[in-house]
Amino acid sequence: MSDSTTRRNALRGTLATAALAATATAVTPADQAHGAPADHAHGAPAGGGTGPHIGILLYDGYSLLDPTGPAEILSRLPDATVTMIAERRGPVRTDTADVAVLAERSLAEVDRLDVLLVPGAGNRGTVEAMNNQALLRWIREMHRHTRWTTSVCTGSIVLAAAGLLTGRRATTYWASADYLRSTFDVTYLPQRYVRSGKIITAAGVSAGVDMSLYLASLIADDDTAKAIQLAVEYDPQPPFDSGDASAASPQLKERALRLLAASQV
């Protein structure tokens, strides 16, 4: 490679870095129109961003993609701070127990958020979260001040157990729809994500990515959300057309649930 070619490549890299920095720090009229983030005088999440403070709740037995998919999207918002939060600081294991994500803050350390996201879990994790009164109280307290309260998968059942979905429309994991509908005063909609006031619920697992892109458009604007989608190259083209429960055979549904049950602890 010649010296001139090397210099051109280095220059391209410098320009790209400068462009990315400008994008990350720019404040558009649309950003201002959505208002400033809430005052975090106490219990601010980790990080020093001046944009929205986004807290993602972790609890034992959550499904890995539920918090991490949205974190990938929402952490790209200009000046946003994304913090993993749990009852105690430290690693929190997923429903398979093979992977743990680090919670940087405990519930007691966070008393105000702009955005709260509650992930779903396997049966054990969901039931334990539904019956964890300290966790439900904290969710209710956060919801009082959030701009957006969100969930992925069976996280909507946890929101319902906290009393936040009463009389609302919501979605959840397809196999949990009947439970959500029959146990709580909730109108279930079989959609990828559903907005009801300031609450946005997503369907199962991967739907959290779609919901997060929609949320990014509400926090910033459509162009920012589109840019984030391109930045992470989210253009799903799965090899099989089998992700819609309404079109799946009873045999495929049964096998899917058996696989989940066998992989969870």
Side-chain angles (χ1 to χ4, degrees), residues 126-127 130-131 157 172 174-184:
T126 301
V127 170
M130 288 173 58
N131 290 291
I157 294 177
T172 191
W174 60 268
S176 302
D178 287 343
Y179 180 80
L180 178 67
R181 191 165 33 205
S182 63
T183 307
F184 304 97

Side-chain angles (χ1 to χ4, degrees), residues 147-212:
R147 292 163 62 188
W148 302 103
T149 298
T150 69
S151 67
V152 180
C153 199
T154 58
S156 58
I157 294 177
V158 179
L159 291 184
L164 302 187
L165 295 185
T166 302
R168 292 184 180 272
R169 298 169 300 144
T171 191
T172 191
Y173 184 59
W174 60 268
S176 302
D178 287 343
Y179 180 80
L180 178 67
R181 191 165 33 205
S182 63
T183 307
F184 304 97
D185 179 19
V186 177
T187 300
Y188 167 73
L189 297 179
Q191 297 175 7
R192 200 70 173 155
Y193 54 85
V194 173
R195 176 182 172 184
S196 179
K198 72 170 187 175
I199 298 178
I200 309 173
T201 54
V205 193
S206 64
V209 175
D210 297 42
M211 182 274 290
S212 297

Side-chain angles (χ1 to χ4, degrees), residues 64-126:
L64 179 60
L65 191 61
D66 287 18
T68 56
E72 175 65 38
I73 300 298
L74 299 174
S75 64
R76 309 298 174 178
L77 282 166
D79 298 317
T81 298
V82 176
T83 306
M84 298 293 181
I85 305 165
E87 286 194 275
R88 291 170 294 279
R89 288 193 185 202
V92 185
R93 293 209 167 269
T94 65
D95 55 349
T96 66
D98 293 327
V99 180
V101 173
L102 182 69
E104 296 181 279
R105 291 286 186 269
S106 68
L107 301 185
E109 293 177 288
V110 180
D111 61 10
R112 193 73 64 90
L113 291 167
D114 296 307
V115 178
L116 170 64
L117 186 143
V118 178
N123 287 338
R124 177 185 60 82
T126 301

Side-chain angles (χ1 to χ4, degrees), residues 48-74:
T50 58
H53 288 285
I54 300 165
I56 299 180
L57 179 64
L58 300 178
Y59 55 89
D60 188 49
Y62 64 91
S63 298
L64 179 60
L65 191 61
D66 287 18
T68 56
E72 175 65 38
I73 300 298
L74 299 174

